[in-house]
Tab-separated table of all heavy atoms in Angstrom:
chain	number	residue	atom	x	y	z
O	1219	PRO	N	-29.575	-57.212	-6.415
O	1219	PRO	CA	-28.721	-57.379	-7.622
O	1219	PRO	C	-29.563	-56.789	-8.896
O	1219	PRO	O	-30.791	-56.878	-8.895
O	1219	PRO	CB	-28.364	-58.710	-7.785
O	1219	PRO	CG	-29.397	-59.459	-7.058
O	1219	PRO	CD	-29.822	-58.570	-6.011
O	1220	VAL	N	-28.849	-56.217	-9.822
O	1220	VAL	CA	-29.531	-55.904	-11.133
O	1220	VAL	C	-30.185	-57.033	-11.678
O	1220	VAL	O	-29.612	-58.237	-11.644
O	1220	VAL	CB	-28.436	-55.427	-12.015
O	1220	VAL	CG1	-28.978	-55.163	-13.518
O	1220	VAL	CG2	-27.891	-54.005	-11.600
O	1221	GLY	N	-31.420	-56.874	-12.158
O	1221	GLY	CA	-32.172	-57.934	-12.928
O	1221	GLY	C	-33.054	-58.719	-11.972
O	1221	GLY	O	-33.837	-59.550	-12.352
O	1222	SER	N	-32.950	-58.538	-10.633
O	1222	SER	CA	-33.745	-59.156	-9.592
O	1222	SER	C	-35.127	-58.507	-9.476
O	1222	SER	O	-35.231	-57.330	-9.942
O	1222	SER	CB	-33.098	-59.230	-8.298
O	1222	SER	OG	-32.942	-57.912	-7.762
O	1223	PRO	N	-36.000	-59.192	-9.079
O	1223	PRO	CA	-37.450	-58.672	-8.871
O	1223	PRO	C	-37.504	-57.705	-7.593
O	1223	PRO	O	-36.644	-57.909	-6.709
O	1223	PRO	CB	-38.381	-59.895	-8.719
O	1223	PRO	CG	-37.633	-60.839	-8.119
O	1223	PRO	CD	-36.088	-60.626	-8.703
O	1224	LEU	N	-38.607	-56.951	-7.463
O	1224	LEU	CA	-38.699	-56.061	-6.336
O	1224	LEU	C	-40.178	-56.053	-5.954
O	1224	LEU	O	-41.180	-56.168	-6.779
O	1224	LEU	CB	-38.360	-54.649	-6.741
O	1224	LEU	CG	-38.704	-53.488	-5.814
O	1224	LEU	CD1	-37.679	-53.636	-4.629
O	1224	LEU	CD2	-38.599	-52.102	-6.382
O	1225	SER	N	-40.425	-56.032	-4.505
O	1225	SER	CA	-41.705	-55.763	-4.024
O	1225	SER	C	-41.550	-54.895	-2.700
O	1225	SER	O	-40.974	-55.453	-1.815
O	1225	SER	CB	-42.427	-57.121	-3.773
O	1225	SER	OG	-43.765	-56.875	-3.250
O	1226	LEU	N	-42.155	-53.748	-2.755
O	1226	LEU	CA	-42.073	-52.912	-1.545
O	1226	LEU	C	-43.580	-52.675	-1.208
O	1226	LEU	O	-44.478	-52.564	-2.024
O	1226	LEU	CB	-41.530	-51.572	-1.954
O	1226	LEU	CG	-40.049	-51.509	-2.430
O	1226	LEU	CD1	-39.664	-50.062	-2.719
O	1226	LEU	CD2	-39.172	-52.232	-1.550
O	1227	GLU	N	-43.755	-52.777	0.136
O	1227	GLU	CA	-45.115	-52.676	0.590
O	1227	GLU	C	-45.424	-51.544	1.445
O	1227	GLU	O	-44.531	-51.043	2.222
O	1227	GLU	CB	-45.487	-53.999	1.382
O	1227	GLU	CG	-46.935	-54.127	1.625
O	1227	GLU	CD	-47.284	-55.510	2.087
O	1227	GLU	OE1	-46.534	-56.422	1.883
O	1227	GLU	OE2	-48.371	-55.665	2.700
O	1228	CYS	N	-46.636	-51.007	1.287
O	1228	CYS	CA	-47.044	-49.895	2.114
O	1228	CYS	C	-48.364	-50.085	2.609
O	1228	CYS	O	-49.316	-50.511	1.860
O	1228	CYS	CB	-47.098	-48.519	1.279
O	1228	CYS	SG	-47.852	-47.118	2.032
O	1229	THR	N	-48.670	-49.921	3.937
O	1229	THR	CA	-49.925	-49.997	4.446
O	1229	THR	C	-50.412	-48.976	5.335
O	1229	THR	O	-49.416	-48.331	6.064
O	1229	THR	CB	-50.079	-51.392	5.322
O	1229	THR	OG1	-49.146	-51.434	6.370
O	1229	THR	CG2	-49.919	-52.581	4.517
O	1230	VAL	N	-51.525	-48.527	5.340
O	1230	VAL	CA	-51.984	-47.402	6.360
O	1230	VAL	C	-53.029	-47.905	7.266
O	1230	VAL	O	-53.730	-48.913	6.817
O	1230	VAL	CB	-52.478	-46.217	5.404
O	1230	VAL	CG1	-51.474	-45.616	4.533
O	1230	VAL	CG2	-53.678	-46.609	4.576
O	1231	GLU	N	-53.088	-47.356	8.341
O	1231	GLU	CA	-54.050	-47.684	9.453
O	1231	GLU	C	-54.753	-46.446	9.867
O	1231	GLU	O	-54.290	-45.254	9.734
O	1231	GLU	CB	-53.251	-48.260	10.667
O	1231	GLU	CG	-52.548	-49.539	10.362
O	1231	GLU	CD	-51.730	-49.930	11.668
O	1231	GLU	OE1	-51.783	-49.215	12.620
O	1231	GLU	OE2	-51.070	-51.045	11.604
O	1232	GLY	N	-55.980	-46.642	10.351
O	1232	GLY	CA	-56.749	-45.593	10.974
O	1232	GLY	C	-57.504	-44.745	9.877
O	1232	GLY	O	-58.005	-43.674	10.352
O	1233	THR	N	-57.579	-45.281	8.723
O	1233	THR	CA	-58.373	-44.395	7.641
O	1233	THR	C	-58.936	-45.507	6.682
O	1233	THR	O	-58.624	-46.666	6.588
O	1233	THR	CB	-57.497	-43.532	7.016
O	1233	THR	OG1	-58.357	-42.717	6.102
O	1233	THR	CG2	-56.520	-44.187	6.134
O	1234	SER	N	-59.928	-45.040	5.900
O	1234	SER	CA	-60.436	-45.938	4.914
O	1234	SER	C	-60.517	-45.186	3.485
O	1234	SER	O	-60.619	-43.977	3.477
O	1234	SER	CB	-61.884	-46.300	5.247
O	1234	SER	OG	-62.781	-45.329	5.433
O	1235	ASN	N	-60.314	-45.828	2.423
O	1235	ASN	CA	-60.363	-45.413	1.162
O	1235	ASN	C	-59.347	-44.275	0.874
O	1235	ASN	O	-59.888	-43.127	0.390
O	1235	ASN	CB	-61.690	-44.940	0.711
O	1235	ASN	CG	-61.858	-44.822	-0.828
O	1235	ASN	OD1	-61.237	-45.408	-1.644
O	1235	ASN	ND2	-62.820	-43.884	-1.344
O	1236	PRO	N	-58.213	-44.399	1.367
O	1236	PRO	CA	-57.275	-43.120	1.212
O	1236	PRO	C	-56.708	-42.975	-0.229
O	1236	PRO	O	-56.637	-44.094	-0.837
O	1236	PRO	CB	-56.143	-43.439	2.232
O	1236	PRO	CG	-56.167	-44.954	2.236
O	1236	PRO	CD	-57.516	-45.479	2.050
O	1237	ASN	N	-56.436	-41.923	-0.679
O	1237	ASN	CA	-55.465	-41.737	-1.852
O	1237	ASN	C	-54.134	-42.126	-1.376
O	1237	ASN	O	-53.563	-41.751	-0.359
O	1237	ASN	CB	-55.546	-40.270	-2.284
O	1237	ASN	CG	-56.768	-39.929	-3.090
O	1237	ASN	OD1	-57.712	-40.741	-3.109
O	1237	ASN	ND2	-56.744	-38.697	-3.557
O	1238	LEU	N	-53.424	-43.045	-2.111
O	1238	LEU	CA	-52.089	-43.506	-1.958
O	1238	LEU	C	-51.174	-43.163	-2.949
O	1238	LEU	O	-51.591	-43.117	-4.166
O	1238	LEU	CB	-52.129	-44.987	-1.732
O	1238	LEU	CG	-52.907	-45.399	-0.404
O	1238	LEU	CD1	-53.008	-47.007	-0.264
O	1238	LEU	CD2	-52.382	-44.821	0.841
O	1239	TYR	N	-49.867	-42.954	-2.618
O	1239	TYR	CA	-48.900	-42.425	-3.584
O	1239	TYR	C	-47.564	-43.152	-3.322
O	1239	TYR	O	-47.272	-43.584	-2.227
O	1239	TYR	CB	-48.677	-41.031	-3.394
O	1239	TYR	CG	-49.898	-40.034	-3.550
O	1239	TYR	CD1	-50.723	-40.041	-2.421
O	1239	TYR	CD2	-50.234	-39.327	-4.593
O	1239	TYR	CE1	-51.839	-39.203	-2.423
O	1239	TYR	CE2	-51.333	-38.531	-4.552
O	1239	TYR	CZ	-52.145	-38.442	-3.470
O	1239	TYR	OH	-53.291	-37.691	-3.484
O	1240	TRP	N	-46.821	-43.388	-4.467
O	1240	TRP	CA	-45.461	-43.892	-4.331
O	1240	TRP	C	-44.590	-42.704	-4.967
O	1240	TRP	O	-44.840	-42.271	-6.233
O	1240	TRP	CB	-45.129	-45.167	-5.161
O	1240	TRP	CG	-45.567	-46.456	-4.422
O	1240	TRP	CD1	-46.583	-47.326	-4.695
O	1240	TRP	CD2	-44.842	-46.979	-3.424
O	1240	TRP	NE1	-46.518	-48.328	-3.824
O	1240	TRP	CE2	-45.533	-48.091	-2.999
O	1240	TRP	CE3	-43.769	-46.564	-2.583
O	1240	TRP	CZ2	-45.009	-48.925	-1.928
O	1240	TRP	CZ3	-43.304	-47.351	-1.572
O	1240	TRP	CH2	-44.118	-48.510	-1.161
O	1241	TYR	N	-43.583	-42.302	-4.239
O	1241	TYR	CA	-42.596	-41.341	-4.811
O	1241	TYR	C	-41.087	-42.122	-4.778
O	1241	TYR	O	-40.911	-42.928	-3.938
O	1241	TYR	CB	-42.461	-40.208	-3.915
O	1241	TYR	CG	-43.663	-39.254	-3.959
O	1241	TYR	CD1	-44.768	-39.355	-3.132
O	1241	TYR	CD2	-43.676	-38.049	-4.858
O	1241	TYR	CE1	-45.855	-38.470	-3.267
O	1241	TYR	CE2	-44.718	-37.267	-4.810
O	1241	TYR	CZ	-45.872	-37.508	-4.127
O	1241	TYR	OH	-46.800	-36.592	-4.202
O	1242	ARG	N	-40.268	-41.586	-5.568
O	1242	ARG	CA	-38.851	-41.903	-5.409
O	1242	ARG	C	-38.031	-40.694	-5.310
O	1242	ARG	O	-38.355	-39.670	-5.849
O	1242	ARG	CB	-38.416	-42.723	-6.764
O	1242	ARG	CG	-36.926	-42.911	-6.657
O	1242	ARG	CD	-36.520	-43.991	-7.871
O	1242	ARG	NE	-36.826	-43.429	-9.165
O	1242	ARG	CZ	-36.935	-44.112	-10.210
O	1242	ARG	NH1	-36.846	-45.479	-10.125
O	1242	ARG	NH2	-37.194	-43.605	-11.441
O	1243	GLN	N	-36.981	-40.803	-4.487
O	1243	GLN	CA	-36.172	-39.643	-4.284
O	1243	GLN	C	-34.689	-40.088	-4.533
O	1243	GLN	O	-34.301	-40.972	-3.728
O	1243	GLN	CB	-36.402	-39.125	-2.708
O	1243	GLN	CG	-35.641	-37.957	-2.469
O	1243	GLN	CD	-35.986	-37.409	-0.990
O	1243	GLN	OE1	-36.159	-38.146	-0.163
O	1243	GLN	NE2	-35.947	-36.142	-0.741
O	1244	ALA	N	-34.097	-39.533	-5.432
O	1244	ALA	CA	-32.665	-39.876	-5.649
O	1244	ALA	C	-31.906	-39.112	-4.568
O	1244	ALA	O	-32.379	-38.000	-3.974
O	1244	ALA	CB	-32.214	-39.516	-6.947
Side-chain angles (χ1 to χ4, degrees):
Chain O
V1220 169
S1222 64
L1224 174 73
S1225 181
L1226 302 181
E1227 190 164 345
C1228 170
T1229 59
V1230 296
E1231 296 177 359
T1233 186
S1234 59
N1235 197 30
N1237 286 3
L1238 295 174
Y1239 306 77
W1240 278 112
Y1241 287 88
R1242 177 169 60 202
Q1243 185 177 35

